[in-house]
Structures are given as C-alpha cells and as structure tokens.
Amino acid sequence: MSNASRRNEPFGLADAYHWLLSLRQTTEHHGARLTELGQSVKQVAASLREVQEAVARLEIRRDGADGATAALEAEINRLSLEIAALTEEHDDLDGRFTQVLAARATAAPGAAATARHVEHQEIAERFRTFIDQEMTSAARAAVLAKKRRALRRPEPDQEQIAERLAELCRAMFGGPDIDEARLRGLLEEAPDWPVRLAATGAELRWRARAASPEGTWDFEAKPGQPADAQSQRVWGEYRPDGNVAGVVAPAYVVAGRVYEPQRVTTHSH
C-alpha cells in the first residue's frame, strides 16, 4: 500500500498507542530536564546566599574599620594635645633651668667652690664604700674560689687578697678607661662580679670627670717610707706603723687635695 493511501486511513488504536508512548517519553524527558533545572536553581540560590553573606560580613568589617579609624583619629588628637602640653611644660622648665644656670654662673665664687667640694666629698664616700665592700669582696671571692679549685686550705690570707685587690683597682682606675678584659680575667673564678664592678666603677669615673677635669686616681707612693696619715690609710690588718710596701687602692685627688686616701700595705721597719 502506498504512503498516500496510508495517510488517508482512519487514526487507529495502534497509532494512538504509539502517540501516547511517544508523549510519555517526551514528558519524562522534560520532567528530568525540569529536575535538573530545579537543582541548578537551588545551587544558584545557595551561591547567591553565600555571596550575600560575604557582602554582609564585608560591610560589618567596613563598619568596624570605620569605627577603629575614628578611634585612632581621636587618640591621635588626644596625644597631639598631650604633646603640646608637655612641650609647653618642657619649654617652661628649660627657661627656669637656664635662669638657675645663669644665677649659679653669677653667684659668689665661694658658693660654687662649696658646691664642688660637696660633690667631691660624695664621690669620695662612694669610692670608699666601693673599695672597702664591693671590690674587697670580689677579690676575696676570687682568691677563695681559686684555692678551693686547687684543693688548698679554704681561707685566703690577707696578702693574697691585697694583691688581687690591687690588680682589680689597676684595671678599674689605672688607665683612661676600664680594662674590662683584665677585670674578667682577674675575676675568672668569680664570674658574677665583673659586670657589677664595671657598672659602679664607670659611674664613679663619670661623676669624677663631670665634677672636675682635675680629678685623678693616684697610685703613686714611695715604698719603704712610713705611711702618710694625710694621703694614705693602712689596709686590712697590716701594721699602721710600718713602712709602705705597696698600693692596694688609689687615692681620689682633685687639684692636689686628697678627698680619699690611698689604701696601702706595710711591712716592718
């Protein structure tokens, strides 16, 4: 039968069945596609929510940054005002200090000399304490530690302490600067002392230089001569009526005036 004849035939049950089957397949295909589209819509919606949340967080951070910036600006303004007040106070104090210096410069020479004398006495007193307590203790500790290491009798005699103290004083006051390497070597057995001694020694040297360029640490002595009561003091348990054997600690002398006498050892006539 020709195709033209078939087109003219009535629409039968078989044709209806095939058409419905085709329609069902098409519907199922569209349903699956709609499902896919629905999932895509959900994913897009989720991504949109994430973007919106990120935007909200950024806005919160922006607001926080704005607040922090405002707080910093307020702090800067406060500090600027404080700096201005301190500058004004400094200028006022500087002016008053200048006036005091001018008054001291025009004061009676006797008053200035008295002030310098008091300063030298204070330096001498600090120097005396430094020698008699800290320097002597360091020398004793070093000698004692050395004896213990050599398994000798533990108590050092005064001659050994005097020798070590004399070497320490030379390292501290015998040159234009403190010989810190020599100081550490002399106190190798007592390592806690060098830094402490150097700090105090540096302070004393600085104060002496600031008080007068004529201040000196005098190690000069005449061995074999009796100790001079004006410029020397017999150290430790050495005989006060003996002749000078050596200098343990220097004198503090300013323009020929002895503010603190030497420490010396003696021996019998």
Side-chain angles (χ1 to χ4, degrees):
M1 185 180 294
S2 66
N3 291 333
S5 299
R6 287 182 179 177
R7 284 196 298 269
N8 293 327
E9 289 180 357
F11 188 76
L13 291 175
D15 294 325
Y17 172 75
H18 288 297
W19 179 79
L20 290 173
L21 184 61
S22 175
L23 181 61
R24 179 181 178 184
Q25 291 175 346
T26 301
T27 302
E28 290 177 351
H29 174 73
H30 287 300
R33 182 60 180 159
L34 287 173
T35 300
E36 292 177 359
L37 290 174
Q39 292 176 349
S40 298
V41 169
K42 291 180 180 179
Q43 292 175 353
V44 171
S47 299
L48 180 60
R49 283 195 301 273
E50 292 178 357
V51 171
Q52 291 173 337
E53 291 172 355
V55 170
R57 287 194 297 269
L58 288 173
E59 289 178 346
I60 292 173
R61 292 177 61 183
R62 182 198 63 192
D63 294 340
D66 291 341
T69 301
L72 287 173
E73 289 177 350
E75 181 67 9
I76 290 171
N77 291 334
R78 185 187 69 80
L79 290 174
S80 298
L81 293 174
E82 187 173 344
I83 289 170
L86 289 173
T87 301
E88 183 178 354
E89 183 178 357
H90 172 269
D91 293 342
D92 178 63
L93 290 174
D94 187 60
R96 291 164 62 184
F97 182 65
T98 302
Q99 292 176 357
V100 170
L101 290 179
R104 288 186 60 181
T106 57
T114 300
R116 287 195 299 271
H117 175 67
V118 171
E119 175 68 12
H120 292 312
Q121 285 182 321
E122 291 176 353
I123 294 170
E125 183 178 353
R126 181 67 184 97
F127 175 62
R128 182 186 316 123
T129 302
F130 182 52
I131 296 298
D132 292 344
Q133 296 182 11
E134 297 165 68
M135 292 282 280
T136 300
S137 296
R140 178 182 294 276
V143 173
L144 182 59
K146 186 175 182 179
K147 277 183 165 289
R148 286 175 176 169
R149 191 169 60 182
L151 300 178
R152 297 176 182 171
R153 59 190 179 89
E155 187 61 30
D157 56 47
Q158 72 167 359
E159 183 177 352
Q160 292 173 316
I161 298 174
E163 290 176 355
R164 185 62 62 94
L165 179 57
E167 292 180 292
L168 288 173
C169 286
R170 286 281 183 182
M172 186 73 69
F173 299 104
D177 296 298
I178 297 174
D179 189 344
E180 295 189 17
R182 178 64 175 156
L183 199 65
R184 289 193 298 271
L186 291 168
L187 296 172
E188 182 179 1
E189 301 89 355
D192 293 338
W193 281 101
V195 174
R196 294 166 55 184
L197 295 183
T200 303
E203 177 193 357
L204 278 167
R205 292 170 63 103
W206 179 85
R207 288 184 63 185
R209 283 196 301 268
S212 173
E214 299 179 277
T216 60
W217 311 102
D218 185 13
F219 286 88
E220 295 296 326
K222 295 180 179 180
Q225 298 294 320
D228 183 354
Q230 299 298 319
S231 61
Q232 295 172 326
R233 180 182 303 165
V234 177
W235 182 83
E237 298 178 2
Y238 284 87
R239 293 183 55 175
D241 59 344
N243 292 334
V244 173
V247 176
V248 176
Y252 175 52
V253 182
V254 181
R257 179 169 183 172
V258 178
Y259 280 89
E260 181 61 22
Q262 289 177 342
R263 307 295 194 281
V264 296
T265 58
T266 61
H267 53 65
S268 300
H269 296 288

